[in-house]
Amino acid sequence: MSSMKWVSKKVAILGSHAVGKTSLINQFIYNKFPENYLTTIGLKVDKKTVETDDYQLDMVIWDIAGQDNMAKVPQYYLNGCSGIIFVLDLTRPPTYESVQIQLERIQKITGKDIDILVAGNKSDLLTEAEIEKVRSQISVELDMVTSAKYGENVEELFLILAKKLIKRESQKA
């Protein structure tokens, strides 16, 4: 019988304002989608424990206020980060037109090899054909297409990141 290993990892949720970062977190942690929009000021920290493989992972999730330019994110918000979910709004081209540049800025800020997933949110507002058209316009591959409103692929998005973080942790052991 193997014993469960416990690990805690800091995860940041980044992207432009109003792309659905907080809604994704609320859906993942509380299975709720608040209909009233409240903008995040500065940052909000939540935690959810996920069990996968032989690990119990505490995901300490930093919901960082939306920025159109990742260079404006205070560097200390990303210090100690093990993973990032970068969120795009599939209905707003300005949130994904410069995604490659933004991801490069994040990599420069973190200064290390870090697991980054890219999520296209608000899929509930588009048809499948429209989503495919947007995918073709984005300069990076989307790791997941989500709907925070209906919970579509939200749990899966966070679990993919959790598994990547645990894989990296187990390689250190």
Side-chain angles (χ1 to χ4, degrees):
M1 182 173 124
S2 69
S3 62
M4 185 78 68
K5 297 175 194 90
W6 172 84
V7 66
S8 179
K9 296 290 180 184
K10 178 179 173 182
V11 173
I13 308 297
L14 298 171
S16 295
H17 69 283
V19 294
K21 297 177 299 295
T22 302
S23 295
L24 286 168
I25 294 166
N26 285 331
Q27 190 62 259
F28 176 60
I29 295 177
Y30 308 108
N31 293 317
K32 289 184 182 172
F33 179 81
E35 290 293 335
N36 56 331
Y37 173 74
L38 293 173
T39 190
T40 302
I41 299 173
L43 84 110
K44 182 177 181 291
V45 179
D46 281 296
K47 182 178 97 169
K48 181 166 180 172
T49 302
V50 175
E51 288 186 13
T52 178
D53 303 322
D54 291 335
Y55 283 86
Q56 178 177 313
L57 172 66
D58 285 345
M59 294 180 86
V60 181
I61 303 168
W62 287 46
D63 180 4
I64 298 173
Q67 294 289 339
D68 295 327
N69 180 346
M70 291 304 113
K72 292 181 180 177
V73 173
Q75 185 166 347
Y76 58 88
Y77 280 4
L78 299 179
N79 288 349
C81 237
S82 297
I84 291 174
I85 295 176
F86 190 86
V87 185
L88 313 170
D89 179 340
L90 296 170
T91 69
R92 290 182 20 233
T95 71
Y96 57 77
E97 288 171 338
S98 66
V99 66
Q100 186 68 46
I101 293 165
Q102 300 306 337
L103 292 174
E104 287 169 9
R105 286 183 178 148
I106 291 167
Q107 202 76 48
K108 189 174 182 183
I109 291 169
T110 60
K112 63 178 184 173
D113 186 25
I114 191 168
D115 290 307
I116 301 175
L117 295 182
V118 180
N121 194 33
K122 303 188 183 181
S123 64
D124 54 288
L125 300 176
L126 299 172
T127 66
E128 196 58 46
E130 289 169 327
I131 290 170
E132 287 312 308
K133 184 178 181 200
V134 170
R135 274 185 190 267
S136 71
Q137 296 169 351
I138 299 174
S139 60
V140 299
E141 189 164 332
L142 292 176
D143 293 290
M144 191 66 67
V145 171
T146 60
S147 166
K149 184 172 188 173
Y150 296 111
E152 176 192 346
N153 293 328
V154 174
E155 182 93 6
E156 293 84 345
L157 172 67
F158 283 89
L159 289 179
I160 288 171
L161 183 57
K163 287 179 180 178
K164 285 178 176 279
L165 297 175
I166 287 170
K167 181 178 180 187
R168 196 178 285 256
E169 183 68 22
S170 67
Q171 289 171 344
K172 286 197 282 185

